[in-house]
Amino acid sequence: MNVFYEEEGIFKVGTILADNTTSLQVEAPHGKRAKIKAASVLLRFDAPSPSELMDIAQKMAEDLDPNFLWECCESEAEFASDALATDYFGHIASSEEAAAVLIRLHSAPMYFYKKGRGRYKAAPSKALEAALASQERKRLQAEQQARYVQLLGAFALPEEFRPSLFNLLYRPDKNTVEWKALDAVCTSAKLSVPGLLEKCGAIPSTHDYHVNRFLLEHFPEGTDFGALDARGELHDAVDLPLADVTAFSIDDATTTEIDDAFSVTPLTLGSFRIGIHIAVPTLGIAPGSLLDVAAAQRLSTVYLPGSKITMLPEVVIHHYTLGEERLCPAVSMYIDVADDFTVIATTSRIERVKVAANLRHDVLEERFNEHTLATGSLDHPFGKALLALWKFACKMEAVRGKTNDSNNEKIDYSFHVEDDRITISERRRGSPIDKVVSELMIYVNTEWGKQLADSGIAGIYRSQGGGKVRMGTSPAPHQGLGVSQYAWISSPMRRYVDFINQRQLVALLRKETPPYTRDSDSLRISMRDFEAAYEVYGDFQRRMERYWCLRWLLQENINTTGAQVIKENLVKLDHLPLVARITSLPELSPETAVEVEISQIDLLELTFHAKFLRKLDA
C-alpha cells in the first residue's frame, strides 16, 4: 500500500512499511524512511508506484484550469477535494486524478482557501478579483524592474526615473520598483546610488548634489523667506543721538553682514578713546515677531565657499549693516585708554554712527602688515587709527596672557568661487589685521558679558575648561581666551545667540525689563537649538570646503604635491586645508615634508587616494 500525504505544506508519496493506526512508517521513492502521522495522509493507493503517481499527478495538475475549478465550486461552502475531483472528471476520481486536483487546489491560494486536510473553500469573487489584479500588477512591475535593471546596467537612465530623481537621491521609498532596480544594479556593480546615477548622467552637478542634500534636511521649505515682509520691522534710528566719531570696518571682501566697526578719537596727554560699534538689528525686531521667529529657526548664517544662507533677510541686512558712507544704528562701547594703552574707563550707548569706509582684508593687508608696523608709520587714510588699535590689541593680548599664542602660526584659508572655478588662498592667522579685529571682539564680548552678569541680567555665555567649550546661562571662565567670562554679542546679524545677548544688553542700556530671565524656557531652548544648528552648519561648511579642495586638485591637474606629516600616517597637503591618511607612509616624525601622489578623486563621496612617494628635504 502507498500513500499520498502532506508534510509541512509539501505533497509527498511513499510506501507503507508499518501502519500503527495513528502513525505510519513509510519509505520514500529514493529510499529514505520516515515516520508520519496518519492524519497527514490524503490518499491511499496500490497502483501505480509512488513515483509514477507523483509524475502523472503533477502533469495533470498543470492542465487543470484553476478558474474553471473555481467556477465549479459553491462560493459559500467548504468542499472536499475528492468531491470536486469527482464533479470535475464526471466519475469517481482515480488516485492520480484526486492527487492532481489536490496539487492544483494547493497551488492556487488566490482561488481556494485551505480549511483543513483535503478541504477547501472557494475565494469570494471580489477577493479573487483583487488578488488577480494584484498578481497582474506584480507581473508588470517585475517586467518593468527587469527593463530598468537592463538599462541601468548599461549606465542608461530610464526616462521614468527623471521625475523621481530627487527622491531617489535623498529620500528614497525602498518599496518602489525604481529603488529596487537601482539597489540591484548598485549591488552587482559595487557602486553607491549616487555613483550609479552619476554614471547614468543623472547628476549634472556634484556641487548641487551636496548642497541639495543639506537643504532638503535643514531647509526643506527653501532658503528664501517666503512671503515674510520685513520692511515693517526696520527701525529708522532717527531718534538716536549722532556719535561724533568717524568709524571704519575691517572685513573679508565677500562680507555683506558687517556687524562691527571701529573708531579712534585722540584725547589729552596722549590718551585715546577707542570705539567698538556693533550693528543693532534688535532695535527693530521684537521678540516673537515674524522676523524674530524666522531668525530663531535659522539660528545662524550658513557659510560655504562661493555662497551663504543668511540668518536674516537681505533687506534687513542691508538696513542694519554698517555700510560705507552711511549713518547706521549701533550699540557702541567706548574705551578710554592711557598713553600706554591701559584701560581707564568704558562706557556704552546706543547711537547712530557714521561709517566712513569698509576696509577689506585683501587691500588693507598690503599697507597694514608686520613690515609696515615695523616702520612705525602706516601709509593709509586710517593709518594713525590702525596703529593705535594695533598697540591696544597687543596690550590686551598681553593682559590675557596670550602673547605666545600658538594659533598665530596657523594658516587660514579663503575660498573664492567665480565662474565655477575655485581660488584658494592662504593667510597666516595672527596677522596684524586678525589680531586687531579678534582682540577688540574678545574685549567687547568679555566686557559686555561682565556687565550683564554684574547687573543680574540673563545671557548666554561661552566657557572653556579642560579643553571643552560649553554654552550656559551662567558666566564662567574661558581658559582658552584667558578671560573671566565671555558672551557672544558682536555678531547679531549672523548668530542668534549674539542677537539674544544684544537684546539683553539693549534693555540694560535703556534701563528696560530684559526680554529673557535666567529661567526662561525660550532662552534655554534657543541656546540648545543654536548649539545643534551651529555644529551642523559647521560640518556642512567643512564638507563643502573639502569638496572645493578636491575640485581645485582636479582643476589644476595636480597629481603629486607636497605634504607635511601630522602624526603616524596622517598628513596635511600643502596649500590646502586637506588631510589624508596614507597607509604606505613610513615612520616619520611630525612636520616632516613629504611628496605624495593624488589619485581616485571622487567628488560624490568626497574621497581620494594618497600614496607616499618620497621624503623631501626640509
Side-chain angles (χ1 to χ4, degrees):
M1 178 68 69
N2 306 311
V3 290
F4 178 88
Y5 64 98
E6 182 182 355
E7 186 176 67
E8 296 181 353
I10 300 174
F11 292 128
K12 299 180 179 180
V13 290
T15 301
I16 298 175
L17 300 178
D19 189 342
N20 299 316
T21 308
T22 59
S23 65
L24 293 87
Q25 182 95 17
V26 298
E27 183 179 65
H30 50 72
K32 183 179 179 181
R33 298 185 177 188
K35 182 180 180 181
I36 65 171
K37 294 180 180 178
S40 300
V41 175
L42 297 166
L43 296 172
R44 293 175 182 251
F45 60 96
D46 292 319
S49 67
S51 58
E52 287 178 327
L53 179 132
M54 183 62 79
D55 289 341
I56 295 170
Q58 286 177 338
K59 290 177 181 177
M60 290 179 65
E62 292 174 1
D63 294 332
L64 296 177
D65 181 2
N67 189 64
F68 181 73
L69 286 175
W70 179 81
E71 291 176 350
C72 293
C73 301
E74 294 183 23
S75 59
E76 299 296 329
E78 291 185 19
F79 60 86
S81 63
D82 55 354
L84 179 62
T86 298
D87 289 343
Y88 181 83
F89 290 106
H91 58 261
I92 296 175
S94 65
S95 300
E96 299 95 318
E97 292 170 336
V101 170
L102 272 167
I103 291 172
R104 197 64 179 119
L105 292 174
H106 189 76
S107 66
M110 288 189 299
Y111 289 87
F112 307 102
Y113 300 156
K114 186 176 181 182
K115 293 298 181 181
R117 183 170 67 90
R119 297 193 64 79
Y120 294 85
K121 180 180 178 181
S125 58
K126 288 186 177 180
L128 178 60
E129 183 180 349
L132 290 173
S134 175
Q135 183 183 54
E136 179 63 12
R137 283 196 303 272
K138 290 178 180 178
R139 184 187 69 80
L140 293 175
Q141 286 175 351
E143 291 180 357
Q144 190 178 44
Q145 182 173 327
R147 183 171 66 86
Y148 289 164
V149 167
Q150 184 178 14
L151 288 170
L152 291 169
F155 302 132
L157 185 72
E159 283 300 316
E160 296 90 337
F161 276 48
R162 296 193 183 280
S164 56
L165 274 176
F166 191 86
N167 288 337
L168 288 171
L169 277 170
Y170 303 116
R171 50 185 180 194
D173 180 353
K174 296 187 178 182
N175 292 317
T176 62
V177 175
E178 290 82 2
W179 173 262
K180 291 176 181 177
L182 266 178
D183 186 56
V185 177
C186 286
T187 301
S188 62
K190 297 181 180 180
L191 290 169
S192 65
V193 169
L196 174 58
L197 289 176
E198 185 190 32
K199 284 184 174 293
C200 294
I203 303 180
S205 169
T206 52
H207 174 272
D208 292 349
Y209 163 74
H210 293 292
V211 172
N212 288 338
R213 183 170 65 175
F214 171 79
L215 294 180
L216 175 66
E217 183 173 357
H218 301 287
F219 292 85
E221 298 179 4
T223 58
D224 59 18
F225 288 85
L228 176 63
D229 186 0
R231 291 170 294 181
E233 299 187 48
L234 304 181
H235 190 275
D236 57 19
V238 294
D239 57 334
L240 298 178
L242 179 61
D244 185 22
V245 298
T246 300
F248 58 90
S249 65
I250 303 175
D251 289 283
D252 185 82
T254 60
T255 300
T256 56
E257 303 153 288
I258 303 176
D259 287 300
D260 51 79
F262 315 107
S263 63
V264 177
T265 305
L267 301 177
T268 59
L269 303 176
S271 59
F272 293 90
R273 175 167 294 157
I274 294 173
I276 304 176
H277 313 283
I278 305 298
V280 60
T282 55
L283 289 181
I285 304 176
S289 65
L290 292 177
L291 194 50
D292 179 48
V293 170
Q297 288 175 341
R298 298 200 174 192
L299 294 162
S300 172
T301 291
V302 184
Y303 294 96
L304 63 155
S307 184
K308 64 182 174 181
I309 304 168
T310 58
M311 183 182 78
L312 296 171
E314 287 298 330
V315 64
V316 178
I317 293 170
H318 178 73
H319 186 81
Y320 288 106
T321 189
L322 302 184
E324 192 170 82
E325 295 296 330
R326 291 176 57 184
L327 277 174
C328 305
V331 55
S332 301
M333 174 182 286
Y334 289 101
I335 310 162
D336 289 353
V337 298
D339 56 357
D340 64 350
F341 292 92
T342 301
V343 176
I344 300 171
T346 63
T347 58
S348 299
R349 54 177 173 264
I350 304 168
E351 59 190 3
R352 288 178 296 161
V353 175
K354 174 65 178 294
V355 179
N358 294 142
L359 308 182
R360 302 299 184 175
H361 287 175
D362 52 346
V363 177
L364 179 59
E365 198 156 25
E366 295 177 1
R367 299 188 181 184
F368 183 37
N369 52 55
E370 287 92 339
H371 176 71
T372 57
L373 285 170
T375 66
S377 177
L378 300 180
D379 181 18
H380 192 278
F382 294 96
K384 291 184 179 179
L386 288 167
L387 189 58
L389 293 179
W390 164 255
K391 292 179 179 179
F392 176 72
C394 291
K395 179 77 173 185
M396 293 303 100
E397 186 181 55
V399 169
R400 294 191 301 113
K402 299 296 178 179
T403 51
N404 295 318
D405 195 340
S406 61
N407 280 339
N408 291 350
E409 300 305 317
K410 294 184 179 179
I411 300 295
D412 285 327
Y413 295 86
S414 298
F415 293 76
H416 179 66
V417 181
E418 186 173 357
D419 297 330
D420 210 32
R421 287 186 62 82
I422 180 70
T423 302
I424 304 174
S425 55
E426 299 173 89
R427 290 183 65 252
R428 184 176 60 80
R429 193 180 300 178
S431 67
I433 291 176
D434 289 345
K435 182 178 290 191
V436 164
V437 174
S438 63
E439 287 299 329
L440 291 175
M441 292 304 99
I442 290 171
Y443 187 90
V444 77
N445 286 325
T446 299
E447 182 61 25
W448 274 338
K450 182 177 185 299
Q451 290 179 23
L452 290 178
D454 291 346
S455 302
I457 294 177
I460 299 176
Y461 296 86
R462 290 177 67 82
S463 61
Q464 185 191 52
K468 184 175 179 61
V469 177
R470 299 176 178 84
M471 298 188 78
T473 56
S474 299
H478 194 298
Q479 294 178 354
L481 296 176
V483 296
S484 299
Q485 70 287 310
Y486 187 73
W488 268 347
I489 307 180
S490 57
S491 294
M493 290 195 293
R494 294 185 259 189
R495 295 186 299 235
Y496 196 64
V497 163
D498 300 59
F499 190 87
I500 288 175
N501 284 336
Q502 188 182 81
R503 270 194 180 138
Q504 300 293 83
L505 177 66
V506 167
L508 171 63
L509 298 178
R510 287 183 161 182
K511 297 181 172 57
E512 297 173 348
T513 301
Y516 310 96
T517 64
R518 186 165 283 109
D519 298 326
S520 170
D521 288 340
S522 60
L523 185 71
R524 295 183 179 278
I525 291 172
S526 294
M527 180 180 68
R528 180 199 64 202
D529 292 348
F530 174 83
E531 282 191 287
Y534 203 63
E535 182 177 353
V536 168
Y537 296 170
D539 287 344
F540 175 60
Q541 179 179 354
R542 288 186 289 273
R543 184 175 180 84
M544 293 311 298
E545 287 178 353
R546 181 178 180 86
Y547 169 85
W548 282 110
C549 286
L550 297 179
R551 278 283 298 268
W552 183 85
L553 290 169
L554 292 172
Q555 171 186 294
E556 302 300 320
N557 197 27
I558 303 295
N559 298 315
T560 61
T561 185
Q564 190 177 77
V565 176
I566 299 174
K567 62 177 182 178
E568 299 173 354
N569 62 352
L570 205 62
V571 304
K572 180 198 164 297
L573 304 192
D574 290 347
H575 313 301
L576 293 174
L578 196 58
V579 172
R581 194 170 295 279
I582 303 178
T583 56
S584 60
L585 190 73
E587 187 174 341
L588 297 170
S589 59
E591 301 185 7
T592 300
V594 296
E595 184 179 26
V596 299
E597 180 183 74
I598 303 297
S599 63
Q600 301 176 30
I601 294 176
D602 188 331
L603 294 178
L604 286 174
E605 299 296 328
L606 299 184
T607 58
F608 67 101
H609 179 71
K611 177 183 176 183
F612 170 76
L613 294 179
R614 62 191 180 95
K615 179 182 174 183
L616 298 175
D617 295 333

